[in-house]
């Protein structure tokens, strides 16, 4: 088995596409590119594509990852070149590298992700006031948020999963940088952080453009390099 | 369209409104001499499953002087956001407002989408009534099967095209380019001169005191008394979209669609598609194999569906299916057969394409008794059905779906009882095939008969709602006693409304406007359909819907759609209606003997089948 890790960007129209649909778009692109795809066993064989983590709808991703399993060896640059022409709007293949097929699955390696979120505040708030309110939020020990799920509401403490939350101002707007726990050992989503932020700051979460900029392993390495 | 970015995070499935799919075409706005917004009056997932859209997308966008973009009905949440922010209806490719286009072209696939047409015009900011349209707003046109009676929408449509659009659409666009700078009325005059184009504004409708139409006559010189549909003579040479748009979203028919043939010669007497899409024209086998290859290479789909009105009727279906399975099995590509005839041969075909029996098989006997099947000319016997079912069990299927229609002309409770008996017969066959008790599942579905224009049942009234409900509950009770069966039915109210608009005339336009004002749209969706509001709309406008659904027309009556001509002769329909009432069947003209429907001489064509000259049928 040969495995190639592909990094791609997801933005433009594709930021409003759900993970399931992105997966299908990759399967179809890979078939159009006539890659020597390895398939799952069973009655309903599917190409073996493994993604690092679903990107929530509405967010862009600067360096998303998918591992593609092939039946024969292929140069990563050849795979990238043939796949690049086949991508739908908003999905851009950036690079590929060979990874050992026996290595851990991307999603099990993932520990946390870095996000930027840019937008405007409803009213002008001085910088020291911003710092103070965010600091007080992070210092209160626990941050409970309630989120609507498929059935009813879900309440959880997101504080342990917020590894870093800072901000800077850019051209009259502000940009938050968040490093949040991600993956199977616990997951905090930027929209959950925004629910908490909206309690202390004059902002509307849906007016912020959120981008997942990087995914990290437990030891702090980029997932790409693992 | 800046507001859009802020709206999309707030709505369910924003992927419906973004465009950018693989094979979608974004052309330069300025370079195009004519710009078309193609509107499907339902949501994205339904509209993107429609082959006609992909065909016209390809036909227009391959022209250097024209562009065609898509627009669908927003779901209710999106509509709410758009109205709250004054965002006008926009096309997916350029995200420009629909009202900036030169042409807004609706496809009318089912009557229950009529209120959505009104809603989309309203969301686009286009005056509903053609008489109120001035200046250079888009010319609003329509096509599709409901164009064969567009009368309820006629006051909202500048022009209607009858027939297959591959050539006609180009003629319309040419005329619009040539008449650029002229008045709207001059443009409409030019359009009315194109074969297949009906400009409702140029016709006056007169009514008798009993409410029946007395005549529909042109109100200016040079406009034809009857508008005749246009067809493509040679399907092999017709443009076919081998680079269709591949949606991001999972849509209803999420697979490659290979159109095997057009038209159907079975002659089921209730079927409008069978009447208006004549004659049969098959594609040749090598053409289909080549189109399949291109389709799959250009889309990456893992399934290809062989579409037509009755795919197992394709003359070379065996070699086609075998060829596709052999060539594409290695690439894990499935072949799907969406419409199967009720016989053992079709089951055998289904077995060829489906190695794993995970899904169920569907058969449509339509009526329970042989008597009633003869009335509707279904051409299926109980032996056919039981043979098909037996073959399915032998091949390993254990789940079946049976489709029936309630309220067919001449139906009595005895015929309904026969549906239950037939279902029991299927279970008996299952026991014979030694399928373990409890394993065999049969889903029985009953829709309600809707009389459709241009069919031999166009004169027939629909069964009253109370009667339909009585028959539904009879079957429900009866099938409760049949273990393993599961019964579902269509709501009588939706079928009633469908009948009203199917046989409607221009007076219904007021009802549509009123119903829309009350909040009706997306009527095909159970969660949107509000029969109470429809009733109020009829009441408010003083129109009795029963006059449309329940009227029995005489052969001598002028029907609201008589000036629109799909090629099948009225004399033939009368003959067929009489035969139906006498319980006489009519054979399929594929067997070489003409039944005299009148279509071939009218169009100077012959049914075209793909079989070799020396090959027996």
């Amino acid at each position: 088995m040969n495995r190639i890790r592909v990094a791609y960007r997801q933005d433009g129209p594709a930021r409003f596409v759900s993970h399931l649909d992105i997966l299908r778009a990759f399967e179809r692109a890979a078939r159009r590119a006539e890659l020597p795809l390895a398939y799952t066993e069973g009655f309903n064989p599917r190409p073996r594509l493994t993604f690092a983590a679903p990107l929530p709808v509405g967010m862009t991703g600067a360096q998303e990852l998918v591992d593609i399993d092939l039946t024969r060896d292929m140069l990563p640059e050849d795979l990238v070149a043939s796949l690049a022409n086949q991508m739908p709007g908003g999905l851009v293949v950036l690079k590929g590298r060979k990874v050992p097929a026996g290595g851990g699955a991307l999603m099990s390696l993932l520990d946390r992700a870095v996000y930027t979120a840019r937008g405007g505040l409803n009213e002008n708030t001085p910088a020291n006031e911003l710092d103070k309110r965010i600091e007080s939020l992070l210092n209160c020990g626990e941050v409970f948020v309630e989120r609507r799920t498929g059935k009813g509401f879900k309440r959880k403490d997101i504080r342990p999963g917020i590894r870093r939350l800072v901000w800077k101002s850019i051209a009259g707007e502000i940009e938050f940088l968040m490093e949040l726990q991600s993956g199977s050992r616990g997951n905090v989503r930027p929209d959950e952080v925004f629910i908490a932020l909206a309690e202390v700051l004059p902002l509307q979460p849906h007016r912020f453009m959120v981008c997942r900029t990087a995914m990290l392993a437990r030891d702090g390495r980029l997932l790409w390099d693992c | 369209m800046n507001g859009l970015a802020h709206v999309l995070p707030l709505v369910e499935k924003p992927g419906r409104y973004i465009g950018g799919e693989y094979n979608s075409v974004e052309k330069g706005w300025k370079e195009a001499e004519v710009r078309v917004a193609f509107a499907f009056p339902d949501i994205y997932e339904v509209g993107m499953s429609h082959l006609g859209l992909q065909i016209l997308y390809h036909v227009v966008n391959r022209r250097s002087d024209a562009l065609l973009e898509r627009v669908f009905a927003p779901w209710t949440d999106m509509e709410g956001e758009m109205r709250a922010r004054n965002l006008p209806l926009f096309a997916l490719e350029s995200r420009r407002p629909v009202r900036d286009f030169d042409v807004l072209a609706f496809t009318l696939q089912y009557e229950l989408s009529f209120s959505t047409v009104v809603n989309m015009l309203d969301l686009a900011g286009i005056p509903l009534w053609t008489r109120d349209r001035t200046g250079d707003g888009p010319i609003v046109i329509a096509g599709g099967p409901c164009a064969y009676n567009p009368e309820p929408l006629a006051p909202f449509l500048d022009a209607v095209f009858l027939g297959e659009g591959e050539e006609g659409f180009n003629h319309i666009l040419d005329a619009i380019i040539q008449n650029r700078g002229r008045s709207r009325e001059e443009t409409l005059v030019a359009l009315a001169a194109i074969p297949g184009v009906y400009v409702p504004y140029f016709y006056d409708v007169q009514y008798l005191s009993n409410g029946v139409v007395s005549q529909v006559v042109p109100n200016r010189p040079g406009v034809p008394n009857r508008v005749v549909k246009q067809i493509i003579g040679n399907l092999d040479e017709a443009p076919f979209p081998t680079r269709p748009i591949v949606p991001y979203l999972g849509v209803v028919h999420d697979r490659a669609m290979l159109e095997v043939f057009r038209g159907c010669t079975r002659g089921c007497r209730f079927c409008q598609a069978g009447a208006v899409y004549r004659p049969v024209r098959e594609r040749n086998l090598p053409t289909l194999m080549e189109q399949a290859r291109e389709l799959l290479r250009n889309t990456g789909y893992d399934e290809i569906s062989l579409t037509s009105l009755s795919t197992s009727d394709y003359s070379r279906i065996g070699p086609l299916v075998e060829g596709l399975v052999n060539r594409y099995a290695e690439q894990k590509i499935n072949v799907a057969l969406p419409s199967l005839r009720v016989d053992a041969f079709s089951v055998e075909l289904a077995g060829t394409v489906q190695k794993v029996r995970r899904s169920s098989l569907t058969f449509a006997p339509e009526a329970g008794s042989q008597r009633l099947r003869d009335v509707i000319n279904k051409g299926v016997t109980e032996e056919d059905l039981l043979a098909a079912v037996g073959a399915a069990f032998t091949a390993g299927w254990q789940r079946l779906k049976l489709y029936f229609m309630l309220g067919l002309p001449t139906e009595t409770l005895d015929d309904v009882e026969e549906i239950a008996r037939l279902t029991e017969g299927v279970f008996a066959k299952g026991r014979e095939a030694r399928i373990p008790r409890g394993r065999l599942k049969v889903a029985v579905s009953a829709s309600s008969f809707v009389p459709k224009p241009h069919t031999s049942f166009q004169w027939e009234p629909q069964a009253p709602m109370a009667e339909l409900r009585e028959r539904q509950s009879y079957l429900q009770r009866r099938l409760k006693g049949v273990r393993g069966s599961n019964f579902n039915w269509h709501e009588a109210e939706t079928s009633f409304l469908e009948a009203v608009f199917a046989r409607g005339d221009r007076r219904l336009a007021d009802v549509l406007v009123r119903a829309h004002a009350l909040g009706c749209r997306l009527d095909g969706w159970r969660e949107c359909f509000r029969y109470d509001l429809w009733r109020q709309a009829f009441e408010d406008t003083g129109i009795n819907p029963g006059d449309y659904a329940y009227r029995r027309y005489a052969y001598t009556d002028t029907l609201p759609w008589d000036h629109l001509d799909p090629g099948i002769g009225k004399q033939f329909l009368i003959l067929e209606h009489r035969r139906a009432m006498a319980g006489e069947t009519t054979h399929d003209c594929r067997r070489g003997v003409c039944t005299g429907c009148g279509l071939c001489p009218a169009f100077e064509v012959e049914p075209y089948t793909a079989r070799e000259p020396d090959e027996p049928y």
Side-chain angles (χ1 to χ4, degrees):
Chain A
M1 190 69 65
N2 304 275
R3 178 171 291 176
I4 291 180
R5 180 159 301 163
V6 171
Y8 63 95
R9 198 170 72 220
Q10 182 176 340
D11 56 16
R15 84 178 167 105
F16 292 109
V17 177
S18 74
H19 180 65
L20 190 71
D21 296 334
I22 291 291
L23 175 120
R24 199 170 30 217
F26 258 96
E27 282 182 8
R28 288 172 181 165
R31 296 172 72 102
R32 290 192 292 265
E34 294 172 4
L35 301 182
L37 294 167
Y39 281 81
T40 59
E41 305 287 321
F43 288 140
N44 190 14
R46 308 226 62 89
R48 287 177 44 163
L49 305 181
T50 322
F51 289 79
L55 187 66
V57 173
M59 243 180 245
T60 62
Q63 201 181 115
E64 298 296 299
L65 300 177
V66 56
D67 282 352
I68 302 180
D69 287 353
L70 305 173
T71 55
R72 61 176 167 79
D73 197 20
M74 198 174 174
L75 286 173
E77 46 273 36
D78 290 348
L79 179 140
V80 167
S82 51
L83 204 51
N85 295 325
Q86 304 297 336
M87 302 309 288
L91 284 182
V92 181
V93 172
L94 303 171
K95 56 186 177 176
R97 70 177 274 258
K98 230 175 247 191
V99 291
L106 273 173
M107 57 264 242
S108 65
L109 296 169
L110 177 66
D111 183 66
R112 53 197 191 274
V114 182
Y115 306 85
T116 59
R118 188 164 162 180
L121 295 181
N122 298 344
E123 54 196 71
N124 230 340
T125 312
N128 57 355
E129 186 61 27
L130 267 170
D131 282 335
K132 214 166 77 187
R133 294 198 201 169
I134 293 173
E135 203 176 316
S136 70
L137 179 77
L138 295 177
N139 285 343
C140 58
E142 39 191 36
V143 179
F144 276 97
V145 297
E146 231 174 40
R147 197 163 58 87
R148 208 192 324 207
T149 63
K151 31 184 184 273
F153 288 87
K154 202 170 133 193
R155 196 173 131 84
K156 75 172 180 191
D157 179 13
I158 60 168
R159 180 62 191 90
I162 304 178
R163 303 297 179 78
R164 196 147 67 105
L165 175 58
V166 295
W167 69 277
K168 62 181 175 188
S169 73
I170 301 175
E173 291 190 315
I174 72 168
E175 183 178 275
F176 293 102
L177 187 135
M178 311 173 183
E179 191 175 316
L180 306 175
Q181 189 166 13
S182 195
S184 50
R185 285 179 295 274
N187 196 45
V188 173
R189 296 160 44 128
D191 58 337
E192 293 170 327
V193 177
F194 266 108
I195 293 173
L197 280 173
E199 297 274 313
V200 298
L201 294 176
L203 58 80
Q204 285 173 292
H206 73 265
R207 298 218 159 230
F208 278 76
M209 264 295 258
V210 185
C211 175
R212 180 153 73 188
T213 55
M215 285 182 276
L216 307 174
R218 192 167 249 186
D219 59 8
R221 278 190 302 160
L222 282 173
L223 217 52
W224 166 258
D225 292 319
C226 291
Chain B
M1 186 91 26
N2 214 352
L4 191 61
H6 294 310
V7 173
L8 290 178
L10 304 175
V11 300
E12 181 196 332
K13 295 201 185 177
R16 288 166 174 162
Y17 314 107
I18 56 174
E21 308 93 323
Y22 191 74
N23 285 338
S24 63
V25 178
E26 289 176 35
K27 296 178 91 170
W29 185 263
K30 293 224 168 65
E31 289 79 67
E33 285 185 59
V34 60
R35 299 138 186 150
V36 185
F38 186 89
F40 194 104
D42 206 316
I43 62 169
Y44 180 91
E45 294 94 311
V46 177
M48 283 305 295
S49 303
H50 176 54
L51 182 61
L53 181 156
Q54 301 271 14
I55 292 175
L56 292 175
Y57 196 78
H58 168 70
V59 163
V60 177
N61 282 326
R62 69 180 188 160
R63 288 173 64 135
S64 59
D65 60 349
L67 66 77
L68 183 141
E69 303 192 6
R70 294 161 295 151
V71 55
F72 302 95
W75 187 243
T76 53
D77 58 346
M78 182 65 171
E79 183 188 341
E81 299 292 343
M82 289 167 70
R83 289 193 184 280
R85 290 151 209 264
N86 282 320
L87 283 180
L89 190 71
F90 60 92
L92 293 191
E93 280 77 2
S94 65
R95 299 195 179 175
R96 282 173 188 267
V98 161
R99 60 167 181 257
D100 290 356
F101 285 74
D102 302 302
V103 179
L104 172 57
F106 282 98
T107 177
L108 306 176
Q109 295 292 317
Y110 27 85
E111 293 80 4
L112 291 181
S113 70
F114 285 5
S115 63
T116 309
V117 172
V118 174
N119 195 37
M120 288 176 80
L121 286 170
D122 182 49
L123 278 168
I126 295 171
L128 294 184
W129 304 87
T130 50
R131 56 169 192 254
D132 297 336
R133 288 180 200 143
T134 50
D136 54 2
I139 303 274
V140 180
I141 65 175
C146 292
Y148 290 104
N149 180 23
E151 289 303 285
L153 287 171
F156 315 133
L157 300 174
D158 293 311
V160 177
F161 181 75
L162 302 190
E164 297 165 353
E166 281 99 336
E167 288 167 4
F169 210 94
N170 281 324
H171 299 153
I172 291 173
L173 299 187
D174 293 340
I176 286 173
I177 291 174
Q178 281 154 20
N179 286 277
R180 170 129 301 168
R182 300 224 176 97
S183 73
R184 264 188 107 76
E185 185 144 340
E186 284 171 304
T187 306
L188 294 188
V189 170
L191 290 178
I194 299 171
V197 174
Y198 166 52
V199 177
Y201 193 60
F202 293 161
Y203 294 78
D204 290 332
V205 184
Q206 284 147 23
Y207 304 93
L208 299 172
S209 57
N210 66 356
V212 173
V213 168
S214 72
Q215 56 174 356
V216 181
V217 281
N219 56 24
R220 68 187 59 211
V223 177
N225 290 321
R226 291 167 68 77
V227 180
V228 182
K229 83 162 176 193
Q230 300 298 299
I231 56 166
I232 299 300
N234 184 334
L235 210 55
D236 260 2
E237 285 163 16
F240 188 74
T242 52
R243 300 195 66 92
I245 302 165
V246 182
Y248 263 126
L249 277 189
V251 296
V252 179
H253 297 297
D254 209 2
R255 53 188 76 92
M257 283 184 276
L258 185 65
E259 189 188 25
V260 178
F261 64 89
R262 258 178 223 178
C264 178
T265 47
R266 302 235 130 214
C268 299
R269 290 174 178 137
F270 55 83
C271 180
Q272 191 187 37
V276 300
Y277 291 132
R278 288 178 183 216
V280 159
R281 285 144 297 152
E282 296 187 342
R283 285 202 162 95
N284 283 313
L285 186 57
T287 313
L288 290 173
M289 290 303 288
E290 175 57 19
Q291 288 177 344
R293 192 180 70 83
E294 286 180 44
L295 262 177
L296 292 167
R297 195 185 54 196
N298 294 333
T299 60
Y301 279 122
D302 58 7
E303 186 164 54
I304 184 163
S305 166
L306 308 182
T307 70
S308 74
L309 292 171
S310 173
T311 295
S312 34
D313 283 345
Y314 177 57
S315 301
R316 313 218 59 201
I317 187 67
L320 175 63
V321 166
E322 215 170 286
L324 290 172
V325 169
N326 289 343
R327 190 177 291 180
Y328 297 110
E330 200 192 336
Q331 295 169 46
K332 324 276 185 220
I333 290 168
N334 288 321
V335 179
L337 298 165
S339 52
L340 284 183
R341 212 164 56 197
V342 185
D343 58 21
F345 170 74
S346 300
V347 173
E348 195 183 305
L349 269 183
T352 316
V353 302
Q354 218 180 344
K355 296 285 178 256
V356 189
R357 314 285 187 242
R358 54 198 145 90
S359 63
S360 60
L361 273 192
T362 304
F363 299 108
E366 308 290 2
S369 68
Q370 192 58 49
R371 184 198 71 79
L372 195 50
R373 281 195 299 272
D374 288 346
V375 168
I376 64 175
N377 202 40
K378 184 63 197 176
V380 170
T381 62
E382 185 160 340
E383 293 72 59
D384 291 333
L385 177 70
L386 293 179
V389 163
F393 294 151
T394 310
W397 272 282
Q398 297 183 334
R399 279 189 300 152
L400 300 178
K401 282 187 201 154
L402 300 178
Y403 284 179
F404 295 96
M405 232 184 259
L406 291 175
L408 284 163
T410 77
E411 183 189 74
T412 66
L413 216 49
D414 290 343
D415 300 302
V416 182
E417 165 59 25
E418 288 294 301
I419 294 177
R421 221 191 40 75
L422 202 56
T423 310
E424 288 170 338
V426 169
F427 279 95
K429 201 81 187 173
R431 284 191 293 277
E432 223 173 87
R434 297 179 184 283
I435 296 183
R437 268 179 90 85
R439 268 290 182 74
L440 178 55
K441 303 282 178 216
V442 180
V444 177
S445 276
S447 61
S448 300
F449 166 70
V450 176
K452 292 282 170 111
H454 308 293
T455 67
S456 25
F457 288 160
Q458 62 181 348
W459 297 279
E460 288 286 327
Q462 188 175 44
M465 273 193 275
E467 200 170 291
L468 288 173
R469 287 200 202 97
E470 182 197 316
R471 284 170 196 200
Q472 288 164 352
S473 51
Y474 175 87
L475 253 189
Q476 190 185 14
R477 281 196 309 276
R478 188 62 178 74
L479 289 172
K480 255 193 191 133
V482 183
R483 230 187 86 193
S485 76
N486 169 28
F487 177 57
N488 58 69
W489 62 92
H490 289 198
E491 293 301 333
E493 289 87 355
T494 47
S495 303
F496 174 66
L497 203 66
E498 194 183 331
V500 172
F501 283 102
R503 300 207 301 171
D505 58 37
R506 291 187 185 187
R507 289 170 294 189
L508 289 178
D510 288 329
V511 182
L512 278 168
V513 171
R514 181 68 191 137
H516 173 254
L518 292 170
C520 294
R521 72 266 191 263
L522 297 172
D523 292 304
W525 294 85
R526 191 180 288 245
E527 54 269 65
C528 296
F529 182 66
R530 291 281 307 273
Y531 187 60
D532 55 331
L533 297 182
W534 275 106
R535 259 171 56 172
Q536 195 191 326
F538 282 109
E539 224 161 84
D540 292 351
T541 48
I543 285 173
N544 176 10
D547 286 349
Y548 293 92
Y550 299 148
R551 186 184 293 280
R552 178 183 293 284
Y553 282 108
Y555 295 147
T556 48
D557 285 336
T558 299
L559 304 174
W561 51 89
D562 269 354
H563 55 301
L564 304 174
D565 185 355
I568 195 160
K570 196 168 183 179
Q571 281 312 313
F572 175 75
L573 293 179
I574 292 173
L575 184 73
E576 275 294 286
H577 183 256
R578 288 197 170 122
R579 292 175 70 90
M581 294 305 121
E584 290 168 23
T585 59
T586 299
H587 65 265
D588 183 338
C589 74
R590 261 178 204 262
R591 283 176 227 163
V593 182
C594 174
T595 58
C597 78
L599 199 125
C600 295
F603 290 93
E604 295 176 356
V605 291
E606 278 191 8
Y608 180 79
T609 59
R611 82 195 110 111
E612 303 294 320
D614 54 345
E615 193 184 358
Y617 177 75

